[in-house]
Amino acid sequence: MTPDTTLLVIAKEPVPGRVKTRLTPPYTPEEAAELAAAALADTLDTVRAAPAYRRVLVLDGQPGPWLPSGIDVVPQGAGGLDERLAAAFAACTGPALLVGMDTPQITPSLLAPALAPDAWRDGDAWFGPAVDGGFWALGLATPRPELLRGVPMSRPDTGARQRARLVGAGLRVRDLPLLRDVDTATDADLVAAAAPGSRFAAALTRLTAASGSAAGGGR
């Protein structure tokens, strides 16, 4: 059966000073950008391996060497994050599942319930909560941008408010597992441990080793 769900990834170009600023310190802006690029590459690898009608990177910035083939790129819309998320869904003509670039531990099997042929049979929305109170995934059987506009983002209650908005609109919401976003250095360590074979884990190991070597050489 041909998949009918569009898989969206919303992301920033991994430019030093513009991404993962909460990782600085202990990491430099260049190191934080390297970690962001690894996380994005892991995410896009998963997207390529997952069944989807179309795979779209909704990007703030320009594509780079981390972009694999098979991914369409469209620019993010203007406004706050709620408006940009809404615009991403508005551009879809059928079911859509959106994920971010901050959960490099995602796998095709983790996304499978929301991308299965019967994914929308018993629900109208999919919701993936994040440990920090936000959400890492949001799926809608029918694109309804108004369900995102006005939801306050980057707050401890963002996820609860977004899910409540879906339920309040009469949607049957099905949940994906709770995951941790990479925001802080502690998050980075925990996510790398959860996905030891990822590019993200390899990048973190490399940076940590380099930092340790530099510190040792300075003594």
Side-chain angles (χ1 to χ4, degrees), residues 34-215:
E34 184 177 341
L35 290 172
L40 181 52
D42 282 328
T43 302
L44 295 177
D45 282 347
T46 291
V47 166
R48 288 184 70 203
Y53 168 70
R54 186 183 178 206
R55 299 167 183 85
V56 182
L57 174 62
V58 187
L59 182 64
D60 176 4
Q62 298 298 317
W66 39 262
L67 179 67
S69 61
I71 307 285
D72 296 331
V73 180
V74 300
Q76 287 187 25
L81 181 55
D82 62 317
E83 291 287 348
R84 288 178 277 140
L85 295 177
F89 279 101
C92 299
T93 57
L97 176 69
L98 180 142
V99 299
M101 62 179 285
D102 298 334
T103 48
Q105 70 271 44
I106 63 172
T107 61
S109 61
L110 191 147
L111 298 180
L115 296 172
D118 62 351
W120 308 104
R121 184 178 62 194
D122 299 319
D124 310 298
W126 285 91
F127 186 79
V131 171
D132 65 2
F135 57 93
W136 65 269
L138 178 63
L140 294 172
T142 302
R144 294 182 59 183
E146 73 276 7
L147 295 180
L148 291 103
R149 294 191 181 104
V151 175
M153 296 288 161
S154 303
R155 289 174 29 160
D157 62 349
T158 291
R161 285 173 175 261
Q162 182 62 74
R163 197 181 190 287
R165 177 76 71 88
L166 303 175
V167 173
L171 273 59
R172 298 169 298 166
V173 181
R174 300 179 67 183
D175 292 302
L176 291 165
L178 176 73
L179 292 185
R180 179 179 295 274
D181 286 339
V182 175
D183 290 322
T184 67
T186 298
D187 293 331
D189 291 339
L190 292 171
V191 168
S198 65
R199 298 187 192 195
F200 181 81
L204 187 68
T205 297
R206 184 170 59 253
L207 292 176
T208 302
S211 175
S213 298

